[in-house]
Amino acid sequence: MKHQSFRPQATAGGQRWPRETAGSRAGPAFRPLPTCGAAARSCVIAVFLSLSPVTGMSPLSPYLSLDPKYLVQDTDEFILPTGANKTRGRFELAFFTIGGCCMTGAAFGALNGLRLGLKETQNMAWSKPRNVQILNMVTRQGALWANTLGSLALLYSAFGVIIEKTRGAEDDLNTIAAGTLTGMLYKSTGGVRGIARGGIAGLTLTGLYALYNNWEHMKGSIARQSL
């Protein structure tokens, strides 16, 4: 099938392009592209080359007042309030810590209560009284452990915030001090020995946590010293 040739037809007002007919090829009507001079083509090519990464350079575009290399950001940028840090402080993390410890304690206590309930009722047949006794043990142990861990998290977060505001710095020393004070206060009803045991327990746990957080940094420092 031959395609209709689109050639301009002479008219009184100049040249015009013919309309598509029923026998012509289906599709949008052909329109000629506007021509541009050699100067315009040179300007377009110059702008394209100035922004193209193939050249390995980033010169200024004659039509822009900024360097294109500044448009590429290697790191994420966030709009923060005045005086705010990019990382969350102890006060912001306190809510997550307390809530997480409460839920963890409730889950652990429920499992422990289920274990104790099955152990205490192992001589009983499966009946409603046995189910009720197991359920009571689960709820009792869940509430006990949730209260215990939630209280510890509350004390630890409070001491951490107070120490951070007092010292004006945030480091692992705040973590260790807060953990030690938490253990001492939680076991303060047990006398001097209870305070000592609680402090040692808090110091040990927070010291291990600080060591875990800085393990990669310590290995890198040891490797650099060995070289």
Side-chain angles (χ1 to χ4, degrees), residues 37-49:
R41 288 195 297 269
S42 300
C43 292
V44 172
I45 294 173
V47 173
F48 176 77
L49 291 178

PDB file of all heavy atoms in Angstrom, residues 37-49:
ATOM      1  N   GLY A  37      18.407  28.281  13.321  1.00  0.00           N
ATOM      2  CA  GLY A  37      19.651  28.614  12.696  1.00  0.00           C
ATOM      3  C   GLY A  37      20.831  27.910  13.324  1.00  0.00           C
ATOM      4  O   GLY A  37      20.715  27.220  14.332  1.00  0.00           O
ATOM      5  N   ALA A  38      21.980  28.083  12.732  1.00  0.00           N
ATOM      6  CA  ALA A  38      23.187  27.441  13.239  1.00  0.00           C
ATOM      7  C   ALA A  38      23.555  27.976  14.621  1.00  0.00           C
ATOM      8  O   ALA A  38      24.041  27.242  15.477  1.00  0.00           O
ATOM      9  CB  ALA A  38      24.340  27.676  12.259  1.00  0.00           C
ATOM     10  N   ALA A  39      23.291  29.241  14.898  1.00  0.00           N
ATOM     11  CA  ALA A  39      23.615  29.827  16.198  1.00  0.00           C
ATOM     12  C   ALA A  39      22.768  29.210  17.300  1.00  0.00           C
ATOM     13  O   ALA A  39      23.260  28.898  18.391  1.00  0.00           O
ATOM     14  CB  ALA A  39      23.405  31.343  16.161  1.00  0.00           C
ATOM     15  N   ALA A  40      21.460  29.018  17.021  1.00  0.00           N
ATOM     16  CA  ALA A  40      20.589  28.407  18.028  1.00  0.00           C
ATOM     17  C   ALA A  40      20.989  26.974  18.312  1.00  0.00           C
ATOM     18  O   ALA A  40      21.013  26.533  19.462  1.00  0.00           O
ATOM     19  CB  ALA A  40      19.132  28.470  17.575  1.00  0.00           C
ATOM     20  N   ARG A  41      21.316  26.213  17.271  1.00  0.00           N
ATOM     21  CA  ARG A  41      21.751  24.832  17.480  1.00  0.00           C
ATOM     22  C   ARG A  41      23.040  24.778  18.286  1.00  0.00           C
ATOM     23  O   ARG A  41      23.244  23.913  19.138  1.00  0.00           O
ATOM     24  CB  ARG A  41      21.926  24.131  16.135  1.00  0.00           C
ATOM     25  CG  ARG A  41      20.616  23.827  15.431  1.00  0.00           C
ATOM     26  CD  ARG A  41      20.843  22.816  14.307  1.00  0.00           C
ATOM     27  NE  ARG A  41      21.729  23.319  13.274  1.00  0.00           N
ATOM     28  CZ  ARG A  41      21.318  23.976  12.193  1.00  0.00           C
ATOM     29  NH1 ARG A  41      20.020  24.215  12.025  1.00  0.00           N
ATOM     30  NH2 ARG A  41      22.174  24.401  11.297  1.00  0.00           N
ATOM     31  N   SER A  42      23.935  25.691  18.042  1.00  0.00           N
ATOM     32  CA  SER A  42      25.194  25.729  18.789  1.00  0.00           C
ATOM     33  C   SER A  42      24.950  26.010  20.264  1.00  0.00           C
ATOM     34  O   SER A  42      25.594  25.422  21.146  1.00  0.00           O
ATOM     35  CB  SER A  42      26.127  26.788  18.191  1.00  0.00           C
ATOM     36  OG  SER A  42      26.402  26.489  16.832  1.00  0.00           O
ATOM     37  N   CYS A  43      24.005  26.897  20.579  1.00  0.00           N
ATOM     38  CA  CYS A  43      23.698  27.204  21.978  1.00  0.00           C
ATOM     39  C   CYS A  43      23.111  25.996  22.695  1.00  0.00           C
ATOM     40  O   CYS A  43      23.466  25.698  23.836  1.00  0.00           O
ATOM     41  CB  CYS A  43      22.738  28.386  22.056  1.00  0.00           C
ATOM     42  SG  CYS A  43      23.468  29.960  21.535  1.00  0.00           S
ATOM     43  N   VAL A  44      22.203  25.270  22.022  1.00  0.00           N
ATOM     44  CA  VAL A  44      21.604  24.092  22.636  1.00  0.00           C
ATOM     45  C   VAL A  44      22.659  23.037  22.903  1.00  0.00           C
ATOM     46  O   VAL A  44      22.700  22.412  23.969  1.00  0.00           O
ATOM     47  CB  VAL A  44      20.483  23.535  21.724  1.00  0.00           C
ATOM     48  CG1 VAL A  44      19.980  22.203  22.262  1.00  0.00           C
ATOM     49  CG2 VAL A  44      19.342  24.535  21.630  1.00  0.00           C
ATOM     50  N   ILE A  45      23.570  22.810  21.955  1.00  0.00           N
ATOM     51  CA  ILE A  45      24.629  21.820  22.134  1.00  0.00           C
ATOM     52  C   ILE A  45      25.568  22.232  23.266  1.00  0.00           C
ATOM     53  O   ILE A  45      26.015  21.401  24.071  1.00  0.00           O
ATOM     54  CB  ILE A  45      25.404  21.624  20.819  1.00  0.00           C
ATOM     55  CG1 ILE A  45      24.476  20.997  19.766  1.00  0.00           C
ATOM     56  CG2 ILE A  45      26.622  20.739  21.028  1.00  0.00           C
ATOM     57  CD1 ILE A  45      25.104  20.912  18.387  1.00  0.00           C
ATOM     58  N   ALA A  46      25.849  23.514  23.367  1.00  0.00           N
ATOM     59  CA  ALA A  46      26.746  23.989  24.425  1.00  0.00           C
ATOM     60  C   ALA A  46      26.134  23.778  25.803  1.00  0.00           C
ATOM     61  O   ALA A  46      26.797  23.355  26.749  1.00  0.00           O
ATOM     62  CB  ALA A  46      27.071  25.472  24.200  1.00  0.00           C
ATOM     63  N   VAL A  47      24.820  24.069  25.949  1.00  0.00           N
ATOM     64  CA  VAL A  47      24.151  23.849  27.231  1.00  0.00           C
ATOM     65  C   VAL A  47      24.138  22.380  27.586  1.00  0.00           C
ATOM     66  O   VAL A  47      24.369  21.976  28.735  1.00  0.00           O
ATOM     67  CB  VAL A  47      22.721  24.426  27.178  1.00  0.00           C
ATOM     68  CG1 VAL A  47      21.953  24.062  28.446  1.00  0.00           C
ATOM     69  CG2 VAL A  47      22.766  25.930  27.011  1.00  0.00           C
ATOM     70  N   PHE A  48      23.873  21.510  26.608  1.00  0.00           N
ATOM     71  CA  PHE A  48      23.831  20.066  26.863  1.00  0.00           C
ATOM     72  C   PHE A  48      25.196  19.557  27.307  1.00  0.00           C
ATOM     73  O   PHE A  48      25.311  18.773  28.245  1.00  0.00           O
ATOM     74  CB  PHE A  48      23.370  19.332  25.608  1.00  0.00           C
ATOM     75  CG  PHE A  48      23.396  17.839  25.750  1.00  0.00           C
ATOM     76  CD1 PHE A  48      22.412  17.174  26.447  1.00  0.00           C
ATOM     77  CD2 PHE A  48      24.450  17.093  25.199  1.00  0.00           C
ATOM     78  CE1 PHE A  48      22.439  15.800  26.588  1.00  0.00           C
ATOM     79  CE2 PHE A  48      24.481  15.723  25.340  1.00  0.00           C
ATOM     80  CZ  PHE A  48      23.488  15.074  26.031  1.00  0.00           C
ATOM     81  N   LEU A  49      26.262  20.012  26.632  1.00  0.00           N
ATOM     82  CA  LEU A  49      27.592  19.552  27.006  1.00  0.00           C
ATOM     83  C   LEU A  49      28.010  20.072  28.365  1.00  0.00           C
ATOM     84  O   LEU A  49      28.743  19.409  29.104  1.00  0.00           O
ATOM     85  CB  LEU A  49      28.609  19.983  25.941  1.00  0.00           C
ATOM     86  CG  LEU A  49      28.486  19.288  24.576  1.00  0.00           C
ATOM     87  CD1 LEU A  49      29.519  19.844  23.612  1.00  0.00           C
ATOM     88  CD2 LEU A  49      28.636  17.783  24.720  1.00  0.00           C
TER      89      LEU A  49
END
